[in-house]
Amino acid sequence: MNDLLLALGTNRRARSVVGALKLPIPLPEPLARAAGPWEARPLEGESVVVSGGPLLAAITGALAEAGATVLVDDAALLATARAAAEAYARPVRVDADSRGASSANASGLASSANASRVHALVLDATAFETVEQLRAAYVFLSPRVGRLARSGRVVVIARACASTASPATNAVRTALAGMVRAIAKEVGRKGATANTLIVAEGAEARMPPVLRWLLDRRSAFVTAQPLTVTARAAAARSPAVVRPLDGQVALVTGAARGIGKATAQALAAEGARVICVDRAEDSAETSQVAQAIGGSVVLADVTAADTPQRIIDALGPRGVDIVVHNAGITRDKTLGRMSPEAWDAVLGVNLAAVIRITDALLAGALRDGGRVLCLSSVSGIAGNVGQANYSASKAALIGYVDALAAQVAPRGITANAIAPGFIETRMTAAIPLMIREAGRRLAALGQGGQPEDVAQALAFLASPGAQGITGATLRVCGGALIGA
Amino acid sequence: MGTSNSSKRRAVVVGGMRTPFVKAFTDFTRLDTFALGAAATRALLARLDLAYREVEGVVWGGVILPGGAPNVGREIALDLGLPPSAEAMTVTRACASGLQAVTLAAAAIERGEADVMIAGGSDSTSNAEVKLPQQIIHAFAPLALGKPAVSDYVAALGKLGPIGQLIPRQPKIAERTTGEVMGESAERMATRWEITRQAQDELALRSHQRAAAAIASGRFASEVTKVEVGDGTWVHGDGLVRGDTSLERLAKLRPAFSKEGTITAGNASPLTDGAAAVLLMSEDKARALGYRPLAAIRSWAYIGVDPADQLLIGPALAVPKALDRAGVTLADCDYVDLHEAFAAQVLCVTKALASASFARARLGRETAVGEIDPAKLNVRGGSIALGHPFGATGARMVTTMANELAASNKQLAVLGICAAGGLGAAAVLERV
Ligand SMILES: CC(C)(COP(=O)(O)OP(=O)(O)OC[C@H]1O[C@@H](n2cnc3c(N)ncnc32)[C@H](O)[C@@H]1OP(=O)(O)O)[C@@H](O)C(=O)NCCC(=O)NCCS
C-alpha cells in the first residue's frame, strides 16, 4: 500500500532535488485532508477570490460563513459582497490580479493580500451564454491560477447543458466543463482540484452547502467532476454546518473494513447512529468497528433471503435515514473463461442484493428525507479487462440511482452513487505493481485516494446540505483518466 | 420564562444600590467580595427602610468565587444579620452573573415562590485566589492530606520541575476552550467588523463624559453608597471615571493586546472591585409595603455563541430574543444599555443589530433589529468609565435603568451583556 513517490513528495528537499535535476519523476503533492468531524469554519484564515455574477451574494455568504476572507475581482462588486459577508463579520477586499492590471484598490486593505496565495478561485459562470462571455473565464482564471495554494480549489459555477438551450449557449456551457477538466490536470500537480458546480434554475438556494464542501479539505480527492444541484428532491431537513447527521440512523453494509469501515466512522462522527452490516465470518471486525463508534451490528449475508427483514427488525420502528450499499465483491476472469458462479456471485452481491434491500426499506423503514447511497466504481464507467461481471454490476448502480431518484424525489429522498477510482485498500494492494502504478499516476492528482476520501464524499451526500444532488454518480477518483 | 403576561404576577424593582467602583488593587484591596456585597446590600435596605425580616431570599452573582465559601450570597446574608430563614444562593454566568441573579429572583417572584428578594453581585479582583501550578498541588497534596513520613517530603520536592513552573501564575481572563484572552477576542472582532481605533476611543470618551456628568449632577447619589475601608477611611465615589480625558489622550495609549491592535487601557473596561444589589418584590407586595416601584422586569433572554468565532457578539442575539419575548421592538425602547466590556465589542454588537444581512443569517428574519441612536445608548456611561466588577455589572445596569425610567417618565429600556464562554444576556425593563 506504500506509495514511495508520495512519501518522497512529502520531503521538500527531495522535491527540490528532483526539480533541480529535471528528473522525469512526477512527485505527487500530498493532499491536505481533514481529520475529525465537520468544522463550523473550515475555511478560517483562507482567502478565496470570487468573480462577479448573478450568484455573488450567495457565494460570498457561503464563503464568509465558512470563515473565508472573500476577495472580489472588481471594486464594483464590493457593495453586494460586503452586504452578504457582513452577516458573518467577514471583511471583503478587492483582489488585483497578479498581472497588476486590475481595477483600483478601493479598500486600501487589499495590497498585502494581492500578492498572496489564495485557497480557492470561484468563477460564477451562470450567466455565460456567448463566446465573448466565455472569455471572462479566461480573464478571471488565467492571471490567478498560479497563485493557487497547495491543495487549493477551483470551482466554476455554471448552468446545466441542455439540448433545449440555444446551440451557442449549450456550446458555451459544455466548454466550461471541458475547461475545468483541463484545469484539473494543470493544478493537480499542486494537489489542487477543479470542479464544476452546475446549478439548475430554481435550485440556487441549494448551492451553498455544495460549494462549501467542494472548498473543504474533505473533498481532496474529487477533481475534474461536475456536481449538479437541482430542485428535484422535495425539501427535507435544513442544512447544518456541523454534526449534519445529528439524530439520524444509518445503515452501512460491508462495514468490517476498508471503505465501509471508514464510512461507518465518518457517518458516526457527523452524529449518526450507525448499524454495521457484514457477514458472520467478519463478526469480530464488524463488532470492533461498531463498538468504537457506538453503533450496532447486524451479521448477515446481504444476498440471504431473510436479510431485508432482519435489517428491518433490527432498525425497529424508528426506521433508517441513510442506507449505504457498500458490500461488494470481485470474481475477475475474462468473459470467455468466467464461470457462471463468478457471474452470479458478483451480480448477486453487487446488484441484486442492493435492489432487494432498497425495495424492502422503501416499503416503510426508510424515512422521508432519507438517503440511498450506492458504491459504484470507475470500473463501471470505463470497463476493465476481466471484470465484465463487476463492471456490469457497478454500471448498473449508476442507472439504478438515476431512475430511483425520480421515484423517491417526492418524499425528499435522494439516491446517488459514488464511483471511487484508485483507492489504497486491501483490494488495490493485491493488484500487480505496474498496473497499480498506472492506477495511481494516471490521474490528475498523480496518486491513489484513501478510504476516508470516499467516506467523506458519502457523508456529504448523506448530509441535508446535499438535498440538491440526486440521481448522480460522483467520481472520487483524483481525476483518473480512465473512463473520463 | 421571562415573558410578559398580564394575568401573571409582575416582579418589580423597588430600588438598587452599589458600592463605588474602584480600580482593582487600590482602595478596596482590604475588602473581600463578602464585605463589598454586604456594604451594598446594607445600604440598599437602609435607604429603602425595609425591615430585615421581610427578606425571603438572596440571589447573588459572582465570577471570582472564594473557594472556601463559594455561596457568597449566603455569607452576605449571615454577615448582615438577615433572618437565618432567608435562603440564599450564588450563581455564575461570567459577566452576566449580576443580571442572572436579578432574573432568577424575578422568576421566583413571578412563580409565586417569594415576594421579597435581594439580587445582586460582587467581585473583588484584588482578592482573587492565586492559583498554584497543578504540579505543586499534585506534589504536596499527599503531604497535606495523608500521614507523611520524612521521606515523603523529600520525594515531593523531587517531583517539582524547573523553578519557572513553580511561580504562581497571574490570573488571566482567558477562554478555557480557546486559550484566547478576552481582549484578543475583542481585537479579532474589531478587525472583522472593521471597527476603527477612533470609533472606539470616541465611544470610550462618551462613556467617561456621561458618567462624569451623572456624578457631577448628583444623579448617582441615590444609587451609590459610601463605603468604609477600615480605620475610619471612607470611599465616597467611583474611582475610575475620568471626566477630563480627551480623544488626544486616548489616542496616545498603546494597544494592550496586540502590537497592531486597537484596544487600549482607555477603551477597555478596567479590572475593578465593587458590588451592586437590587431589591425586587412582587408588585402587590411592594405596594402593600408602601413603595413606589421604579420599573418592572418585563422579559429576559440568554443565548450562547461559538467562543472561537465571535466571543462577544452574544448581545446581538440575546437583545432581539428578549425584545421578542416582551413583544416590543428596539425602536420602542427609550434607552439601550450595553455592557462595555470593550468599546470595540459594543460597536460590533450595534453594527450587527443594524445589519439586515446579520438578521437574515443569524436570526432568520428579513429586517435588521435596528439602529441605535447614540443619544439613547448608555446614557449614564458604562463599564469602560465606571469599571466592571464582573458579578456586579448586571445589577448596576438594572438599577441605573430602573432609576432612569422612573425619573424621566419614559417607558422601556433594554439591557445587553456579553460574557465569557460566548454568552449573551439581555433584559427588558418597563416603567411601572
Ligand atoms: C486593558 C487592560 C489590560 C489595561 O490594564 P492596565 O495596563 O493595568 O491599565 P491602566 O489602568 O494601568 O492604564 C494604562 C495607562 O492608560 C491610562 N489610561 C487609561 N484610561 C485612560 C483614559 N480614559 N484616558 C487617558 N488615559 C487613560 C492610564 O492612566 C495608564 O497610564 P500610565 O501608564 O501613564 O499610568 C486591563 O484593563 C484589562 O485587562 N481590561 C480588560 C478586562 C476584561 O477583559 N474584562 C472582561 C470584560 S467582560
Side-chain angles (χ1 to χ4, degrees), chain A residues 40-41 44 82-93 109, chain B residues 188 191-194 306 308-310 351 355-358 361-362:
Chain A
R41 291 169 304 281
E44 182 82 55
R82 281 198 167 139
E86 184 182 78
Y88 308 95
R90 297 288 171 182
V92 177
R93 296 166 197 177
L109 292 163
Chain B
R188 280 201 302 119
T191 307
R192 284 173 55 178
W193 284 98
E194 301 183 298
D306 180 353
D309 185 27
Q310 300 183 61
K351 255 187 145 173
S355 162
S357 150
F358 180 89
R362 301 293 295 267

Short mmCIF file of all heavy atoms in Angstrom, two decimals, chain A residues 40-41 44 82-93 109, chain B residues 188 191-194 306 308-310 351 355-358 361-362:
data_model
loop_
_atom_site.label_atom_id
_atom_site.label_comp_id
_atom_site.label_asym_id
_atom_site.label_seq_id
_atom_site.Cartn_x
_atom_site.Cartn_y
_atom_site.Cartn_z
N ALA A 40 -17.12 24.19 12.06
CA ALA A 40 -18.01 25.32 11.81
C ALA A 40 -17.43 26.25 10.75
O ALA A 40 -18.16 26.80 9.93
CB ALA A 40 -18.26 26.09 13.11
N ARG A 41 -16.11 26.42 10.78
CA ARG A 41 -15.50 27.34 9.83
C ARG A 41 -14.26 26.69 9.21
O ARG A 41 -13.13 27.02 9.54
CB ARG A 41 -15.12 28.65 10.54
CG ARG A 41 -16.36 29.48 10.95
CD ARG A 41 -16.01 30.61 11.87
NE ARG A 41 -15.31 30.14 13.05
CZ ARG A 41 -15.92 29.57 14.08
NH1 ARG A 41 -17.22 29.42 14.11
NH2 ARG A 41 -15.21 29.13 15.10
N GLU A 44 -11.47 29.06 7.78
CA GLU A 44 -10.95 30.14 8.64
C GLU A 44 -9.53 30.50 8.20
O GLU A 44 -8.66 29.63 8.08
CB GLU A 44 -10.93 29.65 10.10
CG GLU A 44 -10.45 30.68 11.11
CD GLU A 44 -11.56 31.65 11.52
OE1 GLU A 44 -12.63 31.20 11.96
OE2 GLU A 44 -11.33 32.87 11.39
N ARG A 82 -20.04 42.75 0.31
CA ARG A 82 -19.94 43.17 1.72
C ARG A 82 -21.24 42.94 2.45
O ARG A 82 -21.25 42.49 3.60
CB ARG A 82 -19.57 44.65 1.80
CG ARG A 82 -18.09 44.86 1.59
CD ARG A 82 -17.63 46.22 2.09
NE ARG A 82 -16.18 46.22 2.14
CZ ARG A 82 -15.43 47.24 1.77
NH1 ARG A 82 -16.00 48.36 1.35
NH2 ARG A 82 -14.12 47.16 1.83
N ALA A 83 -22.35 43.26 1.78
CA ALA A 83 -23.65 43.07 2.44
C ALA A 83 -23.83 41.61 2.82
O ALA A 83 -24.34 41.29 3.89
CB ALA A 83 -24.77 43.53 1.53
N ALA A 84 -23.37 40.70 1.95
CA ALA A 84 -23.54 39.28 2.23
C ALA A 84 -22.59 38.79 3.32
O ALA A 84 -22.96 38.00 4.19
CB ALA A 84 -23.34 38.47 0.95
N ALA A 85 -21.36 39.27 3.28
CA ALA A 85 -20.34 38.79 4.23
C ALA A 85 -20.55 39.36 5.62
O ALA A 85 -20.09 38.79 6.61
CB ALA A 85 -18.95 39.15 3.71
N GLU A 86 -21.22 40.50 5.69
CA GLU A 86 -21.43 41.17 6.96
C GLU A 86 -22.14 40.27 7.97
O GLU A 86 -21.90 40.37 9.18
CB GLU A 86 -22.26 42.43 6.71
CG GLU A 86 -22.47 43.30 7.91
CD GLU A 86 -23.35 44.50 7.57
OE1 GLU A 86 -24.58 44.33 7.48
OE2 GLU A 86 -22.80 45.59 7.39
N ALA A 87 -23.01 39.39 7.49
CA ALA A 87 -23.74 38.51 8.40
C ALA A 87 -22.79 37.71 9.27
O ALA A 87 -23.13 37.35 10.39
CB ALA A 87 -24.62 37.57 7.59
N TYR A 88 -21.61 37.43 8.76
CA TYR A 88 -20.64 36.63 9.50
C TYR A 88 -19.41 37.46 9.87
O TYR A 88 -18.37 36.91 10.23
CB TYR A 88 -20.24 35.40 8.67
CG TYR A 88 -21.47 34.65 8.22
CD1 TYR A 88 -22.04 34.86 6.97
CD2 TYR A 88 -22.12 33.78 9.10
CE1 TYR A 88 -23.20 34.22 6.58
CE2 TYR A 88 -23.27 33.12 8.72
CZ TYR A 88 -23.81 33.35 7.47
OH TYR A 88 -24.96 32.71 7.11
N ALA A 89 -19.55 38.77 9.77
CA ALA A 89 -18.47 39.68 10.14
C ALA A 89 -17.17 39.35 9.45
O ALA A 89 -16.13 39.24 10.08
CB ALA A 89 -18.28 39.70 11.66
N ARG A 90 -17.25 39.18 8.13
CA ARG A 90 -16.02 38.97 7.37
C ARG A 90 -15.83 40.13 6.41
O ARG A 90 -16.71 40.40 5.60
CB ARG A 90 -16.09 37.67 6.57
CG ARG A 90 -16.21 36.42 7.42
CD ARG A 90 -14.91 36.13 8.14
NE ARG A 90 -15.12 35.05 9.12
CZ ARG A 90 -14.17 34.60 9.93
NH1 ARG A 90 -12.96 35.11 9.89
NH2 ARG A 90 -14.43 33.64 10.79
N PRO A 91 -14.71 40.82 6.51
CA PRO A 91 -14.47 41.91 5.58
C PRO A 91 -14.26 41.37 4.16
O PRO A 91 -13.81 40.24 3.99
CB PRO A 91 -13.21 42.58 6.10
CG PRO A 91 -12.61 41.66 7.10
CD PRO A 91 -13.61 40.62 7.46
N VAL A 92 -14.60 42.16 3.16
CA VAL A 92 -14.39 41.79 1.75
C VAL A 92 -13.39 42.78 1.17
O VAL A 92 -13.45 43.97 1.47
CB VAL A 92 -15.72 41.86 0.97
CG1 VAL A 92 -15.48 41.56 -0.51
CG2 VAL A 92 -16.74 40.90 1.56
N ARG A 93 -12.47 42.27 0.39
CA ARG A 93 -11.48 43.15 -0.23
C ARG A 93 -11.46 42.96 -1.73
O ARG A 93 -11.99 41.98 -2.24
CB ARG A 93 -10.08 42.84 0.33
CG ARG A 93 -10.01 43.13 1.81
CD ARG A 93 -8.78 42.52 2.39
NE ARG A 93 -8.95 42.46 3.85
CZ ARG A 93 -8.06 41.91 4.66
NH1 ARG A 93 -6.96 41.38 4.17
NH2 ARG A 93 -8.28 41.89 5.94
N LEU A 109 -7.02 48.06 1.98
CA LEU A 109 -6.53 46.96 2.80
C LEU A 109 -5.99 45.86 1.91
O LEU A 109 -5.36 44.92 2.37
CB LEU A 109 -7.68 46.39 3.64
CG LEU A 109 -8.20 47.30 4.73
CD1 LEU A 109 -9.57 46.81 5.20
CD2 LEU A 109 -7.23 47.34 5.88
N ARG B 188 -9.93 40.64 17.54
CA ARG B 188 -10.27 39.94 16.29
C ARG B 188 -11.63 40.40 15.76
O ARG B 188 -11.84 40.54 14.56
CB ARG B 188 -10.29 38.42 16.50
CG ARG B 188 -8.91 37.78 16.49
CD ARG B 188 -8.99 36.29 16.18
NE ARG B 188 -9.83 35.58 17.13
CZ ARG B 188 -10.94 34.93 16.81
NH1 ARG B 188 -11.36 34.90 15.56
NH2 ARG B 188 -11.66 34.33 17.74
N THR B 191 -11.35 43.73 14.05
CA THR B 191 -10.82 43.59 12.69
C THR B 191 -11.91 43.13 11.74
O THR B 191 -12.08 43.67 10.65
CB THR B 191 -9.67 42.56 12.67
OG1 THR B 191 -8.72 42.92 13.66
CG2 THR B 191 -9.00 42.50 11.31
N ARG B 192 -12.65 42.12 12.17
CA ARG B 192 -13.65 41.54 11.27
C ARG B 192 -14.80 42.51 10.98
O ARG B 192 -15.34 42.51 9.89
CB ARG B 192 -14.15 40.22 11.84
CG ARG B 192 -13.13 39.11 11.65
CD ARG B 192 -13.51 37.83 12.34
NE ARG B 192 -14.82 37.37 11.94
CZ ARG B 192 -15.36 36.24 12.40
NH1 ARG B 192 -14.68 35.48 13.25
NH2 ARG B 192 -16.56 35.87 12.01
N TRP B 193 -15.18 43.31 11.97
CA TRP B 193 -16.27 44.28 11.74
C TRP B 193 -15.74 45.61 11.26
O TRP B 193 -16.48 46.57 11.09
CB TRP B 193 -17.09 44.47 13.02
CG TRP B 193 -18.03 43.34 13.33
CD1 TRP B 193 -17.81 42.32 14.20
CD2 TRP B 193 -19.34 43.11 12.78
NE1 TRP B 193 -18.90 41.47 14.23
CE2 TRP B 193 -19.86 41.94 13.36
CE3 TRP B 193 -20.13 43.79 11.84
CZ2 TRP B 193 -21.11 41.42 13.04
CZ3 TRP B 193 -21.39 43.29 11.53
CH2 TRP B 193 -21.87 42.10 12.13
N GLU B 194 -14.42 45.68 11.09
CA GLU B 194 -13.75 46.90 10.61
C GLU B 194 -14.11 48.09 11.50
O GLU B 194 -14.58 49.14 11.05
CB GLU B 194 -14.09 47.14 9.12
CG GLU B 194 -13.64 45.96 8.26
CD GLU B 194 -13.87 46.13 6.76
OE1 GLU B 194 -15.04 46.26 6.37
OE2 GLU B 194 -12.88 46.12 6.01
N ASP B 306 -20.58 30.60 19.48
CA ASP B 306 -19.31 29.87 19.43
C ASP B 306 -18.17 30.77 19.91
O ASP B 306 -17.85 31.76 19.26
CB ASP B 306 -19.08 29.43 17.98
CG ASP B 306 -17.79 28.66 17.80
OD1 ASP B 306 -17.01 28.56 18.77
OD2 ASP B 306 -17.57 28.15 16.69
N ALA B 308 -15.12 30.46 19.75
CA ALA B 308 -13.97 30.52 18.83
C ALA B 308 -14.24 31.44 17.65
O ALA B 308 -13.34 31.79 16.91
CB ALA B 308 -13.64 29.11 18.32
N ASP B 309 -15.50 31.84 17.48
CA ASP B 309 -15.84 32.69 16.34
C ASP B 309 -15.87 34.15 16.77
O ASP B 309 -14.89 34.86 16.60
CB ASP B 309 -17.19 32.23 15.75
CG ASP B 309 -17.55 32.97 14.49
OD1 ASP B 309 -16.63 33.41 13.79
OD2 ASP B 309 -18.76 33.08 14.18
N GLN B 310 -16.99 34.59 17.33
CA GLN B 310 -17.10 35.98 17.82
C GLN B 310 -17.54 35.91 19.27
O GLN B 310 -18.73 35.96 19.58
CB GLN B 310 -18.12 36.75 17.00
CG GLN B 310 -17.79 36.85 15.53
CD GLN B 310 -18.82 37.71 14.81
OE1 GLN B 310 -18.98 38.88 15.10
NE2 GLN B 310 -19.55 37.11 13.88
N LYS B 351 -23.38 47.26 15.30
CA LYS B 351 -23.33 47.04 13.85
C LYS B 351 -24.14 45.81 13.46
O LYS B 351 -24.87 45.81 12.47
CB LYS B 351 -21.87 46.85 13.39
CG LYS B 351 -21.30 48.05 12.68
CD LYS B 351 -19.92 47.72 12.10
CE LYS B 351 -19.68 48.43 10.78
NZ LYS B 351 -18.32 48.26 10.27
N SER B 355 -27.65 45.35 11.03
CA SER B 355 -27.40 44.68 9.75
C SER B 355 -28.55 43.75 9.36
O SER B 355 -28.89 42.81 10.08
CB SER B 355 -26.10 43.87 9.84
OG SER B 355 -26.04 42.91 8.82
N ALA B 356 -29.13 44.00 8.19
CA ALA B 356 -30.21 43.13 7.69
C ALA B 356 -29.63 41.76 7.34
O ALA B 356 -30.28 40.73 7.52
CB ALA B 356 -30.86 43.75 6.47
N SER B 357 -28.41 41.76 6.87
CA SER B 357 -27.77 40.51 6.47
C SER B 357 -27.51 39.63 7.70
O SER B 357 -27.73 38.42 7.68
CB SER B 357 -26.52 40.89 5.69
OG SER B 357 -25.51 39.98 5.79
N PHE B 358 -27.10 40.26 8.80
CA PHE B 358 -26.94 39.53 10.06
C PHE B 358 -28.29 38.99 10.52
O PHE B 358 -28.40 37.84 10.96
CB PHE B 358 -26.35 40.47 11.12
CG PHE B 358 -26.14 39.83 12.47
CD1 PHE B 358 -24.94 39.20 12.77
CD2 PHE B 358 -27.13 39.87 13.45
CE1 PHE B 358 -24.74 38.61 14.02
CE2 PHE B 358 -26.94 39.29 14.69
CZ PHE B 358 -25.74 38.66 14.97
N ALA B 361 -29.23 35.93 8.40
CA ALA B 361 -28.42 34.73 8.61
C ALA B 361 -28.51 34.20 10.03
O ALA B 361 -28.51 32.99 10.25
CB ALA B 361 -26.96 35.03 8.25
N ARG B 362 -28.57 35.08 11.00
CA ARG B 362 -28.45 34.63 12.38
C ARG B 362 -29.77 34.62 13.14
O ARG B 362 -29.90 33.95 14.16
CB ARG B 362 -27.43 35.50 13.14
CG ARG B 362 -26.03 35.49 12.54
CD ARG B 362 -25.35 34.15 12.65
NE ARG B 362 -25.08 33.74 14.02
CZ ARG B 362 -23.95 33.98 14.67
NH1 ARG B 362 -22.97 34.62 14.08
NH2 ARG B 362 -23.80 33.56 15.91
#
